[in-house]
Amino acid sequence: MLRGSLIAGAGLLYLLIWLPLTGIGIPCVFHLVTGLYCPGCGITRTTLSLLHGQLAQAFRYNPLVFALAPMYAVYWLFMRLQLRRAGRAVMAVMLTLTIAFGIVRNIPIGDFLAPTIID
């Protein structure tokens, strides 16, 4: 419990203090090397937008987060209730969704899924 709180606190310090002061973020190595967006591209900006109450902007940076968050809660509940088969099924759906999202956001028909800023 304490370790998790310390990690969460360090994450908040990074997002709310370090990034605004330095502008030095965590670059996506996959994007730097390939020019393609990985399924996680935009998650830091999504988190920052959520911390500032900008829900629509957070969604534009990475909509996958909004699909996976409730699914992860269901997965966690199933695992806590010892419903391992159901938990594995939810995890399989989450992994499939993540891979599909990573592919679709890099083809012309899915370019609207690229991390973008709302004007």
Side-chain angles (χ1 to χ4, degrees), residues 31-104:
H31 183 67
L32 289 174
V33 171
T34 66
L36 300 172
Y37 295 111
C38 75
C41 279
I43 287 182
T44 301
R45 290 172 284 173
T46 295
T47 304
L48 282 169
S49 294
L50 287 173
L51 287 171
H52 290 104
Q54 301 166 336
L55 187 63
Q57 181 60 68
F59 187 82
R60 284 302 298 135
Y61 282 136
N62 194 316
L64 181 64
V65 172
F66 294 87
L68 291 183
M71 292 176 78
Y72 183 77
V74 170
Y75 166 77
W76 180 85
L77 180 64
F78 283 161
M79 297 309 279
R80 290 283 290 176
L81 295 173
Q82 302 294 317
L83 301 171
R84 303 242 184 256
R85 180 181 243 173
R88 285 192 302 267
V90 172
M91 180 58 71
V93 170
M94 290 191 312
L95 288 172
T96 303
L97 183 61
T98 301
I99 292 167
F101 179 75
I103 293 168
V104 171

Side-chain angles (χ1 to χ4, degrees), residues 4-20 47-48 50-52:
S5 297
L6 289 173
I7 291 170
L12 282 174
L13 285 173
Y14 168 77
L15 290 170
L16 297 175
I17 296 174
W18 176 260
L19 276 179
T47 304
L48 282 169
L50 287 173
L51 287 171
H52 290 104

